[in-house]
Amino acid sequence: MRRIHYLTCVLLALTWTAPLVAQQPTGSIRGRITDNTTQQPIAGVTIAVASRSTQTREDGRFTISGVPAGSDLLRARMIGYAQINQPVMVGERDTVVVDLALVAQAIGLSEVVVTGYGQQRAGNITGAVTAVGDSQFNTGRVISPQLLIQSKVAGVQVVDNNDPGGGLSIRIRGATSVNASSEPLYVVDGVPLGNGAGGGLSAGRDPLNYLNPHDIESITVLRDASAAAIYGSNAANGVVLITTKSGGTHQKPQFEYTTSASASSVTRLPSLMNAAQFATALNTYAPARDTLLLGASTDWFGLIDRTAYGQEHNFAVTNSTSDMSYRLSLGYLNQDGIIQASSTKRVSLGLNYSQQLFNDRLNVHTSVRGSRAVDQFTPGDVLGNAAAMAPTQPVFDSSSSTGYWDWKTSNAAPSNPVASLTWARDHGTTWRSVGNMQAVYRAPFIEGLTANVNLGYDLARADRTTFYPNNLAAQVRQGQGLLFLANNSQTNEVLESYLGYSPSHSYGPGRLDVVGGYSYEQSHAEYPSLRETSLTTNVLGDNGIPVAGNVQNRRDIVDYKLISFFGRMNYNINDRYLAALSVRRDGSSRFGPGNQWGTFPSAALAWRISQESFLQGVGGLSDLKLRASWAKTGNQAFQDYLQYPTYTYSDGQTQVQFGNVYTTTIRPSAVDPNIHWEKTTAYNVGADFGFSNQRISGTIDWYTKNTSDLIFYVPIPAGTNLGNYVTTNIGSMRNRGLELSVNAEILRPSATGLRWTASVTAAHNRNELLTINPSRSVSKILTGGISGGVGNNVEVLEPGVPVNSFFVYQQRYDASGKPIYDTGTPTNMYVDQNGDGIINDSDRRPFHDPTPKWILGQSSYFNYKRFDVSLTLRAYLGNWVYNNVASSLGAYQNLTGSSMPANLHTSVLTTGFVVPQYYSDYFVEDASFLRMDNITVGYAGTYRGQQFHLFGTIQNAFTITGYSGVDPTSGLNGIDNNIYPRARTISTGLDIRF
């Protein structure tokens, strides 16, 4: 009875107070927040009065209703700006207008950074994320977008192959796989390229070449796993988000035209004997062959290289109104390579269009890009033959069917590289279009709720034609001509739909930002090809299909699907305490039943300790944020259908005999039906810091990445499967490193007008293979095939050492530092590692590896009145390269063998090697270097009221290195085997806006 009495009293009290609450007088506050310096509106500013709060919109405006009447304090706060506390007096049913201008304190913290499925303020990011804007991009002749950020991001290694527009590789915090791809996932304007890691399909050059670098506004690299985990099974190698330029803020059409011209030349070639040195060597070591010398003095590399010229033209028009904006661009590139027969031409078209509808509640954005690239490739045997062809032999021979001199022999011999340049053909054409339509709807019934739909596509076709006529010397000795045709195509489609909830009011002490959605990707690719050898005629060249002795037709069809569910939650307490959680559930068709689904979670915490009272005003500190994260990501970037056997028809050499009858068989391959994801678990601890209102700012990160279930191609016991080798998950590796990035405004504009800003990056990474096949007998796997001999490998996959460590003998040296050569007593030449008195494979040991231990970058930007200067330095420390040109041509046996005499590498003058010593660590060289990648000088002015900018650039100005080969950046595997030389490029151009 007493409980009923208490309940009645409570209900009566609520009934009595309800009218009082309803009658409490209220008013409204509206206004606009701008930047005190630029007068531009600021979006995302938190406005709070009493218990009411909201955020400013894109135009900087805000409205708060239901504010209790009377005097109060309005607080405007945003990271990177000084907080304003403005007294206000609100009358009943009145609307008070309050316009405020915020003063920047650490402006870089307020910049908007594109992240996976959303955007964040730079100061509120909990992971290791680096955004590079177009004002920081590398300049000059840049064909591939990845080169825009070379040396700009700590922990990111960009490796090119020097060919114009040639295939590039990016490693973010080291390689995470051995047989699967270690390339990052590229996402352009919300469209993931290809069907996993890498950039998709091309005819041979870099797949991202379809994207004109002049159309790119920013490139954001998600370096750590917690930032990238929202992309799940494609995120183990990091994620690169590319945002293209859109319409500006001007209210009328603006036109921009940029033109440039360039000239490139070879900087370094292999060190080979000239005609006099070669003749002396031949007369000394093979005097019986001196009649083969024809007395010429031919510089074969001088005949195949050239000064390469290029031109580029880009035109764009942009416009915007209060509810619409667009940018339309057209680009043309024509760039020759420094080796003849290599070039690239590209025509590109791009459109970005945005439309606001329904009182700005619906934003529709469309991005469409297309290009056609025509690539010419130097025939594959040209560089090797230019190195090996004897310099005493002439170029031309009128009695030859090709018109060029060549060795007349059926044995192995170098061939005339000029003949290949003249008669062989290798070219490709790539058509590609990538686009999407995104719709974002801001719900009217729930404040802060948005619905997002993204429908995108990636269409590519790549045609490749290779033709070697049957009368070329090498073809006469081997295959009697070659024709190869490929017409590859790939169609990728993506549908993503997700909800976002980011209300302006608080949940508990902080603000909430939640994203959850669904993604569906599908890909269909076809790879038809024709290969002919033993051609009967050369009349058609590469314009037809001749009758041939051997014809192989092939057509591979690959279908792939990825279905995903994902979610992320960010929680922000006054920009001081930050938390981020994400999870993605992926289902991939690349795996068999029971192994198709994987879950990839992440968690990150951050504490802006500089806002604590004990650090206020300490030592000019303007920002200090501590971060810690953990995440699990996956890698599925490897061959499709590995869980199913493939069937091979036997040929005439592999039939089975039943009695007196030989029967053709169809044999399946060995498979592991349980093959599954490679998994990477990563930890990251870091700090973001700033001093003097961010005049000096930077980040430091320590990380470790552990990859398990590595996919290897390993031998298996006979009879246990339908083959001797199988592809399966059996290994693990670790990457551990440290990254540092510092940005500084060293000189601010003063009476002199000079401004100098600079950035420094440093990254250290240590890779280690932890296990291989722990339950079986395989302790190491040889890799790193080289030129010279048959089946020689100079690298190893072995637990306890970095991936692809060089696997060589330890060379002995005499007192003068010359390598000892003594084939009669090999233990005098090499160290007997196991002490058994015999030098064999058991005495080879891991010796350094190709990956740099430190990657350093430094960029400086100078402005003086109308002049600007920028430069970029890059250094690698601790990277080693195997000089395969020296090892294969650095022995006098090349003069005396059954083949015709080949030119020699000048290293033989030091080593005295008669028999090639492919496994000597003498050929493994320290390739550390310092390179001036870029120097640009510009002048900005006006002509008849129109802006223009003149500029000149030198790329690869100089390189300081102790490496003796062509280029210390000899690809990812560190084997310098007749690689395409590096060019020094000088370009000049003009940028006009009107």
Side-chain angles (χ1 to χ4, degrees):
M1 191 70 181
R2 181 174 298 178
R3 290 182 180 177
I4 296 175
H5 176 72
Y6 286 157
L7 181 59
T8 303
C9 292
V10 170
L11 292 175
L12 288 173
L14 291 175
T15 305
W16 178 69
T17 57
L20 297 180
V21 174
Q23 293 174 5
Q24 184 176 5
T26 62
S28 300
I29 303 175
R30 64 177 175 85
R32 187 168 182 259
I33 308 297
T34 58
D35 185 289
N36 184 64
T37 302
T38 65
Q39 308 304 316
Q40 294 297 312
I42 307 175
V45 180
T46 299
I47 310 296
V49 178
S51 61
R52 311 288 293 178
S53 65
T54 189
Q55 283 191 322
T56 56
R57 300 185 295 271
E58 291 296 325
D59 58 2
R61 300 187 182 279
F62 70 92
T63 300
I64 301 179
S65 58
V67 178
S71 61
D72 212 322
L73 198 66
L74 181 144
R75 300 178 300 278
R77 179 181 57 81
M78 182 175 183
I79 188 170
Y81 290 87
Q83 179 173 316
I84 291 182
N85 297 320
Q86 177 69 36
V88 292
M89 177 64 72
V90 180
E92 183 179 358
R93 298 182 182 178
D94 283 348
T95 299
V96 179
V97 178
V98 179
D99 293 333
L100 300 174
L102 299 186
V103 177
Q105 287 186 330
I107 188 64
L109 301 179
S110 64
E111 294 178 353
V112 176
V113 176
V114 176
T115 58
Y117 303 103
Q119 297 177 335
Q120 284 185 275
R121 299 287 175 182
N124 291 332
I125 292 176
T126 56
V129 177
T130 301
V132 182
D134 56 357
S135 62
Q136 302 167 291
F137 287 162
N138 290 316
T139 54
R141 178 65 74 241
V142 176
I143 300 174
S144 303
Q146 301 95 313
L147 291 175
L148 294 171
I149 61 171
Q150 189 173 50
S151 305
K152 304 292 184 180
V153 182
V156 175
Q157 180 186 10
V158 181
V159 182
D160 61 344
N161 68 357
N162 303 337
D163 201 8
L168 279 82
S169 294
I170 283 187
R171 293 294 177 266
I172 300 176
R173 295 184 167 182
T176 57
S177 184
V178 173
N179 289 302
S181 175
S182 289
E183 296 295 321
L185 170 69
Y186 293 98
V187 181
V188 177
D189 290 335
V191 180
L193 299 184
N195 51 16
L201 183 68
S202 77
R205 296 263 164 76
D206 194 83
L208 261 67
N209 286 356
Y210 87 94
L211 184 58
N212 188 340
H214 284 265
D215 287 341
I216 298 176
E217 181 176 70
S218 68
I219 298 177
T220 301
V221 183
L222 310 182
R223 297 174 5 244
D224 80 326
S226 70
I230 193 71
Y231 290 101
S233 61
N234 291 322
N237 307 321
V239 180
V240 178
L241 307 177
I242 299 176
T243 303
T244 59
K245 296 176 181 177
S246 56
T249 58
H250 37 270
Q251 298 295 315
K252 63 179 181 179
Q254 184 179 74
F255 301 90
E256 180 179 1
Y257 173 67
T258 303
T259 181
S260 65
S262 65
S264 305
S265 59
V266 175
T267 57
R268 205 179 211 185
L269 293 170
S271 180
L272 303 166
M273 287 187 174
N274 57 32
Q277 292 172 316
F278 180 78
T280 300
L282 187 74
N283 288 324
T284 302
Y285 289 90
R289 288 187 158 191
D290 63 348
T291 57
L292 297 175
L293 303 182
L294 298 184
S297 181
T298 304
D299 177 7
W300 292 106
F301 271 99
L303 294 172
I304 68 168
D305 70 15
R306 63 183 175 185
T307 298
Y309 297 100
Q311 58 175 311
E312 186 172 13
H313 306 273
N314 290 286
F315 176 79
V317 56
T318 60
N319 192 15
S320 67
T321 64
S322 60
D323 59 0
M324 176 275 297
S325 67
Y326 67 84
R327 184 179 189 271
L328 178 66
S329 63
L330 176 66
Y332 171 76
L333 168 73
N334 185 350
Q335 179 64 55
D336 290 333
I338 55 175
I339 301 299
Q340 293 186 43
S342 62
S343 65
T344 185
K345 297 180 181 178
R346 178 184 65 207
V347 176
S348 61
L349 181 67
L351 171 66
N352 277 3
Y353 180 84
S354 293
Q355 180 71 58
Q356 301 282 347
L357 300 168
F358 306 120
N359 296 322
D360 295 342
R361 289 201 172 274
L362 177 63
N363 180 15
V364 179
H365 178 80
T366 300
S367 175
V368 178
R369 312 212 162 262
S371 71
R372 176 180 180 269
V374 178
D375 296 312
Q376 302 287 338
F377 303 91
T378 300
D381 62 346
V382 168
L383 287 169
N385 284 323
M389 193 68 177
T392 54
Q393 311 309 102
V395 179
F396 301 102
D397 180 4
S398 59
S399 64
S400 168
S401 62
T402 63
Y404 293 92
W405 190 91
D406 259 304
W407 297 107
K408 295 177 175 60
T409 178
S410 59
N411 295 327
S415 301
N416 191 322
V418 183
S420 291
L421 280 176
T422 303
W423 298 112
R425 296 288 183 270
D426 192 357
H427 55 86
T429 302
T430 302
W431 293 267
R432 192 171 188 184
S433 178
V434 177
N436 68 325
M437 176 177 289
Q438 295 176 295
V440 181
Y441 181 69
R442 185 163 51 89
F445 46 86
I446 301 179
E447 190 266 334
L449 179 65
T450 58
N452 301 263
V453 176
N454 177 25
L455 182 63
Y457 71 89
D458 179 359
L459 306 177
R461 166 152 181 172
D463 295 342
R464 183 75 178 261
T465 301
T466 304
F467 169 72
Y468 287 86
N470 59 21
N471 59 342
L472 285 177
Q475 297 300 318
V476 171
R477 291 191 289 267
Q478 298 175 13
Q480 299 291 317
L482 167 70
L483 176 67
F484 175 78
L485 302 175
N487 305 108
N488 300 329
S489 63
Q490 188 177 76
T491 301
N492 299 326
E493 299 166 340
V494 58
L495 170 64
E496 295 175 331
S497 58
Y498 55 96
L499 295 176
Y501 181 59
S502 181
S504 58
H505 60 270
S506 299
Y507 277 85
R511 296 188 57 250
L512 189 66
D513 184 357
V514 180
V515 171
Y518 166 83
S519 176
Y520 176 85
E521 297 178 39
Q522 68 177 14
S523 172
H524 176 79
E526 298 189 10
Y527 305 98
S529 64
L530 167 71
R531 180 184 176 88
E532 292 188 342
T533 56
S534 298
L535 306 183
T536 59
T537 178
N538 299 322
V539 172
L540 298 176
D542 59 347
N543 296 310
I545 301 177
V547 176
N550 298 308
V551 180
Q552 293 178 330
N553 287 289
R554 185 181 180 94
R555 187 186 185 193
D556 294 331
I557 299 176
V558 178
D559 287 295
Y560 159 78
K561 291 181 181 179
L562 180 69
I563 299 174
S564 308
F565 301 89
F566 58 88
R568 180 183 60 222
M569 182 183 72
N570 296 327
Y571 195 67
N572 182 339
I573 303 176
N574 298 325
D575 297 327
R576 180 181 299 182
Y577 308 109
L578 308 165
L581 301 173
S582 74
V583 64
R584 183 168 179 130
R585 177 79 170 161
D586 280 342
S588 173
S589 64
R590 285 207 170 109
F591 309 103
N595 297 290
Q596 294 177 319
W597 289 90
T599 302
F600 306 98
S602 77
L605 299 172
W607 176 23
R608 178 160 283 105
I609 193 173
S610 57
Q611 289 192 4
E612 303 296 342
S613 58
F614 56 84
L615 280 181
Q616 292 292 319
V618 173
L621 185 69
S622 55
D623 184 52
L624 179 59
K625 181 177 66 176
L626 307 181
R627 296 179 279 104
S629 65
W630 167 89
K632 178 181 175 183
T633 54
N635 188 356
Q636 52 146 358
F638 47 85
Q639 187 178 349
D640 292 270
Y641 308 129
L642 290 181
Q643 69 272 25
Y644 303 116
T646 56
Y647 292 85
T648 304
Y649 285 91
S650 61
D651 55 24
Q653 305 299 316
T654 56
Q655 293 178 327
V656 177
Q657 183 178 1
F658 292 97
N660 295 324
V661 178
Y662 290 90
T663 304
T664 299
T665 62
I666 303 176
R667 60 186 185 277
S669 62
V671 297
D672 178 4
N674 296 315
I675 194 167
H676 52 270
W677 320 87
E678 293 185 340
K679 305 179 185 69
T680 297
T681 302
Y683 304 87
N684 190 96
V685 177
D688 302 333
F689 58 87
F691 297 91
S692 302
N693 290 334
Q694 301 303 101
R695 184 171 181 176
I696 300 174
S697 63
T699 64
I700 184 169
D701 285 274
W702 174 89
Y703 63 87
T704 182
K705 298 196 302 182
N706 298 309
T707 303
S708 60
D709 293 336
L710 284 175
I711 292 176
F712 277 88
Y713 187 62
V714 295
I716 54 177
T720 61
N721 209 316
L722 297 172
N724 297 324
Y725 288 82
V726 69
T727 301
T728 185
N729 302 90
I730 48 88
S732 62
M733 75 160 65
R734 179 176 62 217
N735 285 279
R736 180 173 290 168
L738 182 70
E739 297 168 348
L740 173 67
S741 177
V742 179
N743 303 296
E745 192 175 3
I746 299 174
L747 293 177
R748 288 180 170 174
S750 59
T752 62
L754 179 62
R755 181 182 183 184
W756 176 18
T757 60
S759 66
V760 176
T761 61
H764 168 70
N765 183 75
R766 172 69 178 176
N767 171 273
E768 181 182 352
L769 188 63
L770 300 178
T771 61
I772 296 180
N773 213 10
S775 62
R776 300 174 188 170
S777 59
V778 178
S779 60
K780 65 172 68 75
I781 299 174
L782 296 181
T783 184
I786 60 171
S787 174
V790 178
N792 289 330
N793 295 280
V794 296
E795 294 178 336
V796 68
L797 302 173
E798 181 177 345
V801 298
V803 170
N804 294 329
S805 291
F806 297 109
F807 194 58
V808 290
Y809 296 128
Q810 184 177 352
Q811 179 74 51
R812 293 184 185 272
Y813 296 85
D814 61 20
S816 65
K818 178 180 177 180
I820 296 174
Y821 179 72
D822 185 355
T823 56
T825 309
T827 53
N828 289 338
M829 281 199 304
Y830 301 119
V831 174
D832 185 5
Q833 300 289 342
N834 58 8
D836 62 358
I838 302 173
I839 299 298
N840 54 25
D841 277 354
S842 298
D843 297 301
R844 294 166 67 186
R845 90 289 189 209
F847 180 69
H848 298 295
D849 67 285
T851 305
K853 303 305 172 287
W854 285 93
I855 299 178
L856 309 176
Q858 197 279 323
S859 299
S860 286
Y861 309 89
F862 301 89
N863 295 90
Y864 178 71
K865 297 182 179 179
R866 293 183 177 273
F867 294 92
D868 59 89
V869 177
S870 64
L871 57 89
T872 301
L873 276 166
R874 173 167 50 122
Y876 282 8
L877 303 177
N879 58 305
W880 293 70
V881 170
Y882 178 83
N883 192 335
N884 195 190
V885 179
S887 69
S888 62
L889 299 179
Y892 290 113
Q893 192 182 72
N894 288 325
L895 305 174
T896 62
S898 61
S899 62
M900 293 295 101
N903 199 6
L904 300 177
H905 192 273
T906 56
S907 64
V908 74
L909 301 175
T910 300
T911 65
F913 291 160
V914 176
V915 177
Q917 302 299 309
Y918 300 115
Y919 298 145
S920 171
D921 66 9
Y922 174 82
F923 299 109
V924 180
E925 302 183 41
D926 185 352
S928 300
F929 69 89
L930 171 67
R931 174 173 290 156
M932 179 65 77
D933 275 331
N934 193 291
I935 303 175
T936 298
V937 179
Y939 174 81
T942 58
Y943 178 74
R944 295 184 177 179
Q946 306 301 324
Q947 298 178 350
F948 70 87
H949 184 236
L950 286 167
F951 58 89
T953 300
I954 301 177
Q955 295 168 266
N956 189 27
F958 64 81
T959 300
I960 301 173
T961 182
Y963 177 62
S964 65
V966 171
D967 189 358
T969 58
S970 298
L972 288 168
N973 67 349
I975 297 177
D976 182 351
N977 182 18
N978 295 307
I979 62 174
Y980 198 100
R982 184 167 290 274
R984 176 175 296 114
T985 301
I986 300 175
S987 57
T988 183
L990 174 65
D991 182 5
I992 305 173
R993 299 186 180 188
F994 54 94

